[in-house]
Amino acid sequence: MEATSKCTRYRKGDLSLTNTSMHGFYALKTIPNNPNGEAKVTCRVCKAECHCLMPSRTNSHSCSACLNVSNSTLRPHKKECGICRPVKKIGTKLFKLGDLGSSNKNGNLLSGSLYPSMPSSSALPSTSRYNKRAVLCGVSYRRRKFRLKGTINDVSNMKDLMMKKFKFPEECIRVLTEQEQNANMIPTKHNILESLRWLVKDCQPGDSLVFYFSGHGLQQPDFEEDEIDGFDETLCPVDFLREGMIIDNEINSTIVWPLKKGVTLHAIVDACHSGTILDLLFVYKHESGIWEDNKPPSKEPIRKHTNGGLAICLSACEDSQTAADSAVFGGKGMNGVLTYLFTKTIREYPGITYGRLLENMHDEIKKINRSRCNSRILQHIFNRKIAQDPLLSSSEKFDVSTTMFRL
């Protein structure tokens, strides 16, 4: 058995902010320079090491293994390596890290150019008109040190649930993973956004739409002043180092705005910092049992609502938390904690309400943590407890204790 936070080697993203500078990027641990002029750098978080040749005009460096950024006192050099690269400016460039432009020993590019964006969706499978459509996206970042091991299992689990439990026709489910043969189905930024546009295109009353994502999630400063906590939540496509992340504002405008009256969208997001990834107007607080206002604080009105439809999001954790992959559930391989508990609960409790679904997942996480504390074996397996609280948000308030969960 194995369990890892999605913000360590297999965690789903950690560029998390603290009360100090820029979400508290962890410092890189440096080792004295070698006689040949190279400096060996070890990241304090992911322990990745490299011989790093640093340019003279910067003392900020990012670890592409775990995405942590900090200052370093390394002696300046002329070149840079593929793991610890210079960060010249705090801001947008910090999060859109750019093309590394290097390759490994096998000649595989280390940048997002492994997965070139496709110019159009003409090669996508054609689908008939159904009142149920879904986009299932699992990103494993398989050629990188921050790869995830459970995302393919997550997508398979979700697809099986939707077809057998909620009767989604297979031809109306669009799956994006790095294992797909069709290049249009690789989870690049372009392909994900194209699929989201397909999901809501020409939606009609009675439609049930689903967006599922399993992968890394991050945060970045909110420059539009439309976030209560001052940070935008993001999803990381497979090519995010080159093309950038998908920001919550863009997700909101792409799949929330177009929802007509009578159309329901469910988003299930198994990623770190994913609490308000859809930027919906209301957040349900599990502890108090009330809906809290999540309207943007900016003076100028910023659109966050639907066109009359209903959008509901179930996230792996709150914006400030991280999500975990785990093998503690048994079976083959690893699974996202949210995905496994969600699918397990839906299968075991037909007609479950939103409130009971959320309660059961919280209870299961508590049981896992209690078991870890009582077992020496599990103490050895787990570096720390699973510290994530699944979160429910919605475009409008509803009674979670009486409303049944349906897709």
Side-chain angles (χ1 to χ4, degrees):
M1 293 190 297
E2 181 181 2
T4 52
S5 166
K6 292 178 179 180
C7 289
T8 55
R9 186 177 179 184
Y10 304 110
R11 61 190 169 186
K12 295 189 172 178
D14 183 19
L15 221 51
S16 56
L17 294 97
T18 65
N19 293 328
T20 57
S21 63
M22 290 296 297
H23 254 295
F25 300 117
Y26 295 92
L28 296 177
K29 179 181 178 182
T30 60
I31 299 176
N33 293 342
N34 295 330
N36 61 6
E38 293 183 339
K40 194 173 184 181
V41 179
T42 302
C43 179
R44 290 178 180 173
V45 179
C46 70
K47 309 303 181 184
E49 294 186 357
C50 71
H51 291 282
C52 196
L53 302 179
M54 296 303 192
S56 59
R57 292 188 177 182
T58 179
N59 63 353
S60 295
H61 308 92
S62 70
C63 176
S64 67
C66 66
L67 303 184
N68 285 287
V69 181
S70 74
N71 292 332
S72 172
T73 56
L74 293 179
R75 191 172 64 193
H77 296 283
K78 295 181 180 180
K79 298 180 181 180
E80 60 185 84
C81 74
I83 294 182
C84 296
R85 295 171 291 103
V87 177
K88 298 181 180 179
K89 186 182 294 184
I90 296 296
T92 305
K93 291 184 180 179
L94 176 63
F95 299 95
K96 189 173 180 181
L97 297 177
D99 193 342
L100 298 181
S102 59
S103 59
N104 60 17
K105 293 181 180 179
N106 298 322
N108 294 324
L109 291 177
L110 294 176
S111 70
S113 56
L114 277 168
Y115 305 101
S117 298
M118 305 303 293
S120 71
S121 57
S122 58
L124 296 175
S126 60
T127 59
S128 302
R129 170 67 188 166
Y130 289 97
N131 68 337
K132 292 190 174 186
R133 276 183 285 182
V135 171
L136 310 182
C137 181
V139 193
S140 58
Y141 318 91
R142 59 186 180 184
R143 290 182 175 91
R144 297 190 176 277
K145 290 188 177 181
F146 49 83
R147 67 189 180 277
L148 294 170
K149 290 186 174 181
T151 55
I152 302 300
N153 291 336
D154 288 344
V155 168
S156 177
N157 199 2
M158 281 295 301
K159 183 179 179 182
D160 181 77
L161 178 77
M162 296 179 66
M163 291 178 60
K164 293 181 179 179
K165 179 68 177 178
F166 297 106
K167 308 304 180 184
F168 275 66
E170 185 172 12
E171 56 266 36
C172 77
I173 300 176
R174 184 174 287 189
V175 175
L176 290 84
T177 71
E178 288 148 270
Q179 294 184 343
E180 303 305 312
Q181 297 300 313
N182 187 339
N184 293 278
M185 296 293 101
I186 301 298
T188 63
K189 182 177 181 178
H190 172 85
N191 289 344
I192 293 175
L193 290 175
E194 279 290 299
S195 293
L196 292 181
R197 285 187 278 269
W198 166 84
L199 180 66
V200 298
K201 183 180 180 181
D202 300 326
C203 57
Q204 300 296 327
D207 284 358
S208 175
L209 313 176
V210 175
F211 169 50
Y212 171 79
F213 180 88
S214 179
H216 280 303
L218 300 174
Q219 285 184 310
Q220 71 177 40
D222 166 34
F223 299 110
E224 296 185 14
E225 298 183 352
D226 62 344
E227 296 283 350
I228 293 176
D229 62 357
F231 298 101
D232 284 317
E233 285 67 50
T234 69
L235 299 180
C236 298
V238 69
D239 58 348
F240 77 100
L241 289 178
R242 180 169 65 91
E243 297 298 329
M245 297 173 284
I246 302 175
I247 303 173
D248 52 8
N249 295 8
E250 189 170 16
I251 299 173
N252 182 274
S253 61
T254 302
I255 60 175
V256 175
W257 289 12
L259 298 177
K260 301 175 183 178
K261 185 176 182 180
V263 178
T264 301
L265 166 74
H266 284 86
I268 302 160
V269 183
D270 200 341
C272 292
H273 312 296
S274 56
T276 60
I277 190 63
L278 256 64
D279 266 357
L280 302 179
L281 296 177
F282 302 99
V283 173
Y284 181 74
K285 290 300 181 180
H286 167 256
E287 301 82 2
S288 59
I290 62 173
W291 289 96
E292 288 190 354
D293 196 329
N294 191 46
K295 290 184 176 65
S298 57
K299 297 179 181 179
E300 296 296 327
I302 296 178
R303 179 175 174 179
K304 296 290 185 181
H305 56 80
T306 69
N307 193 27
L310 175 63
I312 299 173
C313 182
L314 181 62
S315 305
C317 57
E318 297 185 6
D319 289 339
S320 60
Q321 293 180 322
T322 59
D325 271 338
S326 178
V328 70
F329 308 110
K332 297 181 180 180
M334 300 185 72
N335 302 94
V337 170
L338 173 78
T339 304
Y340 181 87
L341 294 180
F342 169 77
T343 55
K344 175 178 180 290
T345 303
I346 293 296
R347 289 188 176 104
E348 291 180 354
Y349 300 96
I352 194 170
T353 64
Y354 286 88
R356 179 53 59 184
L357 172 62
L358 200 61
E359 185 74 29
N360 282 10
M361 290 192 293
H362 279 266
D363 289 344
E364 287 293 331
I365 291 175
K366 291 177 182 177
K367 289 178 183 178
I368 294 171
N369 289 331
R370 284 197 297 267
S371 298
R372 182 188 71 87
C373 294
N374 295 331
S375 170
R376 291 183 179 180
I377 296 176
L378 289 178
Q379 281 180 345
H380 178 71
I381 294 173
F382 284 83
N383 292 325
R384 57 183 179 180
K385 69 178 182 178
I386 296 176
Q388 63 183 88
D389 298 307
L391 190 70
L392 180 68
S393 59
S394 176
S395 60
E396 60 186 62
K397 300 177 183 178
F398 62 91
D399 189 346
V400 301
S401 63
T402 60
T403 306
M404 289 192 300
F405 182 91
R406 292 191 181 95
L407 293 179

